[in-house]
Structures are given as C-alpha cells and as structure tokens.
Amino acid sequence: MKTLTLVRPDDWHLHVRNGALLKAVLPHTARQFGRAIIMPNLKPPVTSVEQALAYREEILRALPQGMAFTPLMTLYLTGSTSVEEIGKAARCEHVYAFKLYPAGATTHSDAGIADVRSAYPLFAAMEKHDVPLLIHGEVTDEQCDIFDRERVFVDTALTGIAGHFPGLRIVVEHVTTREAVQFVESASERIAATITPQHLMFNRNALLAGGIRPHHYCLPVLKRESHRQALVAAATGGNPKFFLGTDSAPHLTSLKENACGCAGCFSAPAALELYAEVFESAGALDKLEAFASFHGADFYRLPRNTGTVTLTKTSWEVPAVYRGEDNVAITPLKAGEQLSWQLKV
Ligand code: NCD
Ligand code: ZN
C-alpha cells in the first residue's frame, strides 16, 4: 500500500464557530492538525484579548479527551479597535494576529473596516509590536463585479498597505487569483498567503455550470480555470510564502441550501486528504509536507510540530452529512464523493 508520512500539519485559517457547531466540527481538525489560526468572526466578533481568551477556553473544553490541539487566537479589527488593545494582544501568549475584514465582504463582517486607510494607525501599531495582520483581500464596493473584488483590492488597498508599512507581517488570506499570487510572490518575505483546498480543486464552473452548487459557494468566490492553475503552481512550487489554510467555514446545511445561501465550505473532515489529491495530480506530493507543516510555522515564528501523520492510498467516501447536538447538520465539501487518500488514525 502506498503511504505518505508528514510532520503533523497546521491549519493557518480556520473557522470553528461556537456552541453546538464548535463541538461538532472541532474534532475533525484536531484529528489532523496540531494547531490552527482561529478566525474571530463570531457573532459578536472577538475584538478583545479578554474575549479571545474566553473563546480559547471554550475551544479547549470542546476538545475530545486525549486530543492534543492548540488553538492560536486572533482578534477582529473594527473601527473601534484601540492602539492599546494591539499592545495587549502583542503581550498575550495566546493571541497571534489581527484579522482585517473589509466591512460587508463576507460572513459576519459587518463590524469590519469600512475604509482601509482609516486603520493605518492600527497597522502602524501592529508593525511596531510585530503582530501579523491577516487580510480578507476583497473590496466591498457594490459596483465592483464579485469576480474582480480580490484583484481590485490588491491594486487599491494591499499594495498601499505593504508599501506604507515595510515592517508589517501580512498574510493575504485564501488567495484566489493570479494577481494576488503575483503580488505575494513579488512582495518582500514578510508577506505570505494561505490557499484553501476548494480554490485548488475547483474553478467557478463547479459552482455554476449544470446547476448551482451551494456547497461550492465560499468567499472569495471560485474563479476561472487560469486562476486555479496559478494557485496550484503557487501551492506546489515550494515557495515558503504559500501555506495551508483551509478556511473551513461550516454553516448548517439548511443555511447553505437556501435561496440566499451562506458562504463557506466545510472542508475540515477531509482537509489533508483534499490537499493530497491536489498535490498528487500536480505531480508534487513531495512538496505537500513543506506547504502543510513547515511554511506556516516558519512564517509565524513557531516551532514546527514534532509528531507525524500518515496518509494511505485508500479510496473512501466522504459522508453526506455530519451531525451534532441541537439538530446540527453540516454538509462537507465533496459530500458523497470518493477520495483517494485517507488519514490513518
Ligand atoms: C467565512 C465564514 O463563513 O465565516 N466564509 C467563507 O466563505 N470563507 C468567512 C470568510 O473567511 O470569508
Ligand atoms: Zn475564512
């Protein structure tokens, strides 16, 4: 049997929600990953160190007995974030970054930043304290076509931020376009990007051709094939600026299969297996370990994990639905489909 053993990977962009949803989704991530950067877009958002510490406790309580997993907390940047809170976050051993959501860009982003330039004093504080800034890189201008929102953000906001704050470490989250990849590649080494499994596997036909597929709907939205190819080249090329961030974003099936469906793909149950398929079809399985287990840890200046995980070449079917307490039902990415790699437990 073909097997693949990697140093235990980390997920550098993850939504685990709270309450019953948290309990239902967390074990899937903890089974595979040593650590994850936890997104702060709860309702209400996690905006203070105090809230982040309380949320961290809730995550640790939801962890099944015997599972070792470390949540790396982030704070949600709002118009009322203070420079003091940034100093506090920098001194807190459990907070690793701030997340910038342009107001209205995605799920629970209404408390985000309406005008990126207004947040420059906050970026200056992050630069000073060396706290990374994680960016959802899309403009929210209603006049801007949804397929262009990332490219326009690169030109109108990201280039400015990167130029203005040469010492600020930035992760351009879930890149989806050739333009964002090129921006990251040509920027200094303190600028990196995460890439999701769905943007590596699918182009926008998977969302819209032959019927609308709500479980392929996420933000930034899937793009055309040439962009997907640029992402695969970036992820599998060995460049340390690109690392694994699933953006697994669970929503109840009833809220996805809806006249106004929520954005987000629940990829956590098969995350590593999905990436393995992508790397194998690109003939780059030898590059998977660095992408999944080294580049992110190095960027965040954390030690690499010490244990390992093993994948075997075994075909298995992704369950149609995952259930939890309080009638939680969540449809995973690739529900009911066959995968060719399986994580050994
Ligand atoms: C995320 C969510 O549901 O929280 N959705 C998504 O489509 N990716 C938010 C985000 O990361 O944009
Ligand atoms: Zn996200």
Side-chain angles (χ1 to χ4, degrees), residues 278-290:
V278 170
F279 277 67
E280 183 173 45
S281 12
L285 267 182
D286 61 321
K287 299 287 198 307
L288 179 62
E289 183 179 48

Side-chain angles (χ1 to χ4, degrees), residues 32-45:
Q32 303 166 63
F33 298 101
R35 300 165 288 200
I37 283 278
I38 306 294
M39 288 296 142
N41 62 332
L42 298 183
K43 229 159 166 91

Side-chain angles (χ1 to χ4, degrees), residues 27 61 82 108 168:
R61 277 197 305 274
S82 67
H108 301 164
L168 179 61

Side-chain angles (χ1 to χ4, degrees), residues 13 15 17 41 101 106-107 136 174 218-219 247 249 251 263-264:
H13 184 130
H15 301 266
R17 318 301 191 199
N41 62 332
Y101 291 100
T106 186
T107 309
H136 182 112
H174 42 51
C218 66
L219 289 170
D247 193 19
H251 292 277

